[in-house]
Amino acid sequence: MFQSDGPDYLLCSKLFAQDRRNTHTDTHPCSFIQLSFSFRVSQTNLYSTRSTYQRDIKCLEGTAIGILSKDGVVLVGEKKVTSKLLQTSTSTEKMYKIDDHVACAVAGIMSDANILINTARVQAQRYTFAYQEPMPVEQLVQSLCDTKQGYTQFGGLRPFGVSFLFAGWDKNYGFQLYMSDPSGNYGGWKAAAIGANNQAAQSMLKQDYKDEITREEAVQLALKVLSKTMDSTSLTSDKLELAEVFVLPSGKVKYQVCSPDALSKLLVKSGVTQPAAEAS
Amino acid sequence: MESIFGLVGDGFAVVAADTSAVHSILVHKSNEDKIMVLDSHKLVAASGEPGDRVQFTEYIQKNVALYQFRNGIPLTTAAAANFTRGELATALRKNPYMVNILMAGFDKEAGASLYYIDYIASLHKVEKGAFGYGSYFALSLMDRHYHSGMSVEEAIDLVDKCIIEIRSRLVVAPPNFVIKIVDKDGAREYAWRESIRDASVAAA
């Protein structure tokens, strides 16, 4: 049983899978959510090879893209409209502010994500309480991934079915973008995608990303990639969320969510959609 | 009796402390170093209950080291001072440490700084500070002679003034002092000011 031809983390994942369910697929209590666990080493991405313990939640999971630029970090997310009866929330669904200098985008089971977002916020405030300084971004990501990892190691509990993109700024390393998966793996990225079609988005980003990209260009790129990888045909502001982390001239870190109106204008500007008047 | 004091100069901070280990009316030794080099760019001068002083400063030192191992970046002086204050504050309502601390450090961003932390967990960023009986003289002298942007020579001169005043005016004056300094090149011992040495006894 302990003989494995793969690296250690694969062994752990396999043990976990055998221990808990004797199969690689499982059905969520909500029968419409199919969780498929696949253990494999994914293709080389922008930075590194990472082990993917990936959980695809079909139909429900929107894509989220993060791009690091020299003057800020951009997060774009697709809001899935599952039913036309569903009231769209006025606040953001996929983007969450963790602290003044860190925000995240979510893909996966939202109820799980809420728990993790709460712990992340608590961690960030605990750090500020102890040191009277904002928490370094990587430390925040790491503390959250430690929590996630814990649920992959012990039997009896299911892991958090959430991937995150973290965008932030700190005084040591400036702007940063991190991606984490349900197994608790994380890495720093220049551009990354999570959620549905993340591999297609990732390869497009790999092709089009350039170092020295500006924040404005990053927004354009993110919208372009999202429009091409989304299942729905037309990209409209009510299906999208755009948030940016950047530093104001005063030196203060700003998390800004783009308003639907501004987003509509951006979509037209980037040529992803036609102006509303022409479309009708 | 115990005297620790320190001040911030131009690009450096200096702290001095007496080196007497006293119990009741007896002086047990006069070369006890009460200034800890916390990490590469931090100094902690502490006065108070000797056991608490050693236990608490080592506890802080090891936690600061642990932070650096875990995160790959050092704590800033401000963060370390706030952490220290927090530890004193949580201990205060359980089993308080009777320790007063002057923490000096140098950061790339903030430059040299000095923090005053007392045993009831109050924290102040100061340019000059002192604890113990010697503080009556050290504070007065620094009020009179301190100015911002002092050079190392001026600062050491002021420290020496304080030491001389403590030795000549305090009934229970400690004989020896140690002076340490921290600047962009790190924290280190600067000098000792000794008026007596432990008597050496010829082997019988």
Side-chain angles (χ1 to χ4, degrees):
Chain A
M1 177 179 180
F2 286 94
Q3 293 219 319
S4 168
D5 44 13
D8 282 343
Y9 55 79
L10 287 179
L11 174 70
C12 295
S13 308
K14 278 178 189 157
L15 284 177
F16 163 71
Q18 283 161 3
D19 182 40
R20 293 228 26 244
R21 55 195 107 241
N22 299 315
T23 170
H24 281 198
T25 41
D26 190 21
T27 309
H28 193 265
C30 312
S31 57
F32 59 89
I33 307 177
Q34 283 283 325
L35 303 176
S36 66
F37 292 76
S38 56
F39 305 100
R40 60 172 186 269
V41 177
S42 75
Q43 61 277 77
T44 309
N45 285 303
L46 277 178
Y47 263 15
S48 62
T49 311
R50 69 200 169 90
S51 80
T52 315
Y53 162 16
Q54 201 171 294
R55 172 179 284 211
D56 308 313
I57 297 153
K58 278 149 195 141
C59 303
L60 267 178
E61 192 179 54
T63 319
I65 291 170
I67 299 178
L68 189 66
S69 73
K70 59 182 180 183
D71 54 348
V73 195
V74 177
L75 293 175
V76 184
E78 175 201 5
K79 276 194 272 192
K80 276 280 176 167
V81 183
T82 43
S83 160
K84 62 179 178 183
L85 294 176
L86 193 67
Q87 187 88 59
T88 47
S89 68
T90 45
S91 63
T92 53
E93 283 175 26
K94 293 180 76 74
M95 312 288 180
Y96 293 86
K97 188 176 176 178
I98 304 293
D99 199 350
D100 285 335
H101 64 301
V102 189
C104 72
V106 179
I109 302 169
M110 216 43 239
S111 53
D112 285 12
N114 286 328
I115 302 294
L116 288 172
I117 288 162
N118 181 249
T119 48
R121 285 174 174 161
V122 170
Q123 290 292 343
Q125 290 315 122
R126 281 213 179 118
Y127 187 98
T128 334
F129 178 54
Y131 302 109
Q132 300 294 316
E133 273 180 7
M135 190 170 186
V137 182
E138 184 170 357
Q139 274 180 59
L140 184 58
V141 174
Q142 200 171 62
S143 86
L144 204 66
C145 286
D146 287 350
T147 312
K148 284 191 186 183
Q149 190 282 144
Y151 287 83
T152 69
Q153 197 164 20
F154 302 104
L157 291 170
R158 121 185 121 71
F160 289 98
V162 195
S163 292
F164 282 111
L165 289 175
F166 287 95
W169 183 92
D170 64 45
K171 65 177 194 295
N172 294 299
Y173 297 111
F175 292 110
Q176 291 151 80
L177 174 68
Y178 293 93
M179 176 165 68
S180 81
D181 70 8
S183 70
N185 272 324
Y186 76 91
W189 294 77
K190 293 174 181 173
I194 52 172
N197 294 327
N198 68 75
Q199 286 176 2
Q202 197 88 258
S203 57
M204 282 188 68
L205 286 169
K206 194 175 169 182
Q207 216 149 50
D208 293 349
Y209 183 85
K210 290 188 179 57
D211 290 322
E212 301 297 303
I213 194 172
T214 63
R215 200 172 84 234
E216 212 172 316
E217 290 164 346
V219 171
Q220 302 282 320
L221 175 59
L223 289 176
K224 192 186 102 183
V225 172
L226 197 65
S227 72
K228 289 192 179 171
T229 50
M230 260 167 65
D231 293 333
S232 56
T233 46
S234 64
L235 201 59
T236 53
S237 61
D238 57 332
K239 286 181 198 156
L240 273 185
E241 276 173 27
L242 173 72
E244 293 164 277
V245 176
F246 54 95
V247 175
L248 295 169
S250 65
K252 210 174 163 295
V253 187
K254 172 97 173 151
Y255 167 69
Q256 192 174 64
V257 180
C258 197
S259 70
D261 288 345
L263 196 51
S264 301
K265 280 176 194 147
L266 267 176
L267 286 171
V268 175
K269 195 179 150 200
S270 60
V272 177
T273 47
Q274 302 301 311
E278 289 174 39
S280 60
Chain B
M1 293 291 270
E2 285 206 305
S3 309
I4 66 169
F5 53 95
L7 55 105
V8 180
D10 183 20
F12 71 93
V14 62
V15 284
D18 74 280
T19 56
S20 296
V22 178
H23 188 254
S24 180
I25 57 163
L26 278 186
V27 178
H28 285 255
K29 66 189 275 213
S30 50
N31 59 350
E32 165 85 353
D33 190 347
K34 297 176 186 176
I35 309 177
M36 169 182 264
V37 177
L38 194 68
D39 71 6
S40 67
H41 286 77
K42 283 175 204 77
L43 288 170
V44 165
S47 74
E49 204 61 46
D52 283 2
R53 190 192 76 226
V54 173
Q55 181 77 6
F56 186 72
T57 51
E58 279 193 13
Y59 173 75
I60 296 300
Q61 184 188 42
K62 270 55 188 178
N63 271 285
V64 169
L66 177 63
Y67 181 99
Q68 201 161 339
F69 280 124
R70 274 184 176 163
N71 305 307
I73 40 173
L75 277 176
T76 60
T77 311
N82 277 286
F83 171 74
T84 307
R85 193 209 74 85
E87 292 300 318
L88 278 173
T90 35
L92 185 62
R93 307 293 167 185
K94 297 174 183 162
N95 45 357
Y97 293 101
M98 306 302 278
V99 207
N100 301 306
I101 285 171
L102 285 176
M103 186 183 283
F106 185 92
D107 306 291
K108 274 206 189 80
E109 276 189 7
S113 55
L114 181 69
Y115 289 88
Y116 167 108
I117 309 162
D118 68 16
Y119 78 103
I120 34 186
S122 73
L123 169 71
H124 301 289
K125 187 175 189 294
V126 291
E127 288 183 309
K128 53 200 198 301
F131 282 112
Y133 281 115
S135 70
Y136 297 113
F137 308 104
L139 285 174
S140 310
L141 276 161
M142 289 192 289
D143 276 345
R144 176 66 184 83
H145 296 291
Y146 179 86
H147 59 87
S148 55
M150 287 177 100
S151 68
V152 176
E153 290 71 33
E154 288 175 311
I156 296 297
D157 193 48
L158 179 48
V159 167
D160 280 333
K161 276 196 176 79
C162 294
I163 292 173
I164 289 166
E165 198 66 12
I166 290 165
R167 277 179 184 155
S168 55
R169 289 284 186 169
L170 190 60
V171 181
V172 283
N176 298 343
F177 289 81
V178 62
I179 306 168
K180 292 192 185 181
I181 197 167
V182 57
D183 59 15
K184 64 175 175 24
D185 301 320
R188 60 193 178 276
E189 193 175 289
Y190 182 83
W192 282 72
R193 297 286 186 256
E194 291 170 304
S195 62
I196 60 161
R197 281 181 184 278
D198 284 351
S200 57
V201 180

